Amino acid sequence: MCVARGYLNRPDLTGERFLADPFAGEVGARLYRSGDLARFLADGSVEFLGRIDGQVKIRGYRVELGEIEVALCTHPRVKQAAVIAREDDPGDRRLVAYVVLDGPIEHLTAELHRHLTDKVPDYMLPSAFVMLDALPRTPSGKVDRLSLPRPGNRRPELSQAFVAPSPGLSRPWPPCGES
């Protein structure tokens, strides 16, 4: 019997992730509990519904959203935070942070971005920060992630104005092979 990397001599972890396979005809067959949530459809195919945990995949990286939320909450002005992966435009999946500040709402995007760069890898940095008065809640008191607003395209926190590229160079680039 083969053992997956990281599970050798760890029966507690193995028992948590590898369950007895009720569908297999052989004794000792196992299923791996991946954390994915799915269901069988009437035609027998499987529909992926999401993850049981807060893990998402962004640009090839597995990201635990809770890690980003905890790192955001270490900022002295952040009272609450929620991070989600949004795909408002097809094929453009990005991380968005929703932040409730302690005190008046200000645009602290640049400061929060700098704060996170010391705490999480670059691929875990949200591309947008949305300041809210309060996070929307479900009737049971959990954060209603489906009700979080779409981030706007305005970026008032940028310190420098956009400068368009110049219309052309004073001389054309030399052909390949010349210098």
Side-chain angles (χ1 to χ4, degrees):
M1 180 173 170
C2 296
V3 178
R5 181 175 290 172
Y7 291 90
L8 183 63
N9 298 325
R10 296 187 64 192
D12 56 330
L13 187 59
T14 302
E16 178 185 322
R17 286 293 179 190
F18 291 89
L19 309 174
D21 185 354
F23 307 109
E26 62 186 79
V27 178
R30 299 283 182 185
L31 287 175
Y32 177 67
R33 180 179 288 175
S34 67
D36 292 336
L37 183 63
R39 68 177 177 173
F40 285 107
L41 298 177
D43 64 359
S45 61
V46 178
E47 178 185 16
F48 177 73
L49 299 173
R51 298 273 308 167
I52 295 171
D53 56 11
Q55 190 180 91
V56 296
K57 197 165 188 178
I58 300 286
R59 294 178 299 281
Y61 293 100
R62 291 219 176 262
V63 175
E64 187 67 46
L65 298 176
E67 286 183 44
I68 304 168
E69 292 170 359
V70 168
L72 269 171
C73 287
T74 62
H75 188 279
R77 289 281 321 276
V78 174
K79 193 162 95 175
Q80 294 176 313
V83 178
I84 62 171
R86 293 191 70 106
E87 191 169 350
D88 295 321
D89 300 321
D92 182 28
R93 194 164 196 208
R94 61 190 184 131
L95 295 173
V96 178
Y98 296 87
V99 180
V100 176
L101 297 174
D102 190 16
I105 292 182
E106 300 168 5
H107 287 286
L108 298 175
T109 303
E111 185 179 328
L112 292 174
H113 192 271
R114 276 192 307 276
H115 177 75
L116 281 180
T117 55
D118 297 336
K119 303 197 177 318
V120 298
D122 289 343
Y123 64 87
M124 291 175 68
L125 292 173
S127 62
F129 293 81
V130 178
M131 308 302 165
L132 300 173
D133 291 325
L135 294 175
R137 301 283 177 178
T138 64
S140 63
K142 296 179 182 178
V143 175
D144 187 357
R145 295 178 185 276
L146 297 176
S147 295
L148 290 168
R150 183 179 183 164
N153 292 333
R154 271 184 58 244
R155 302 280 306 266
E157 72 284 352
L158 293 176
S159 58
Q160 298 176 352
F162 173 74
V163 177
S166 60
L169 299 170
S170 59
R171 65 178 181 84
W173 289 101
C176 292
E178 293 181 20
S179 33

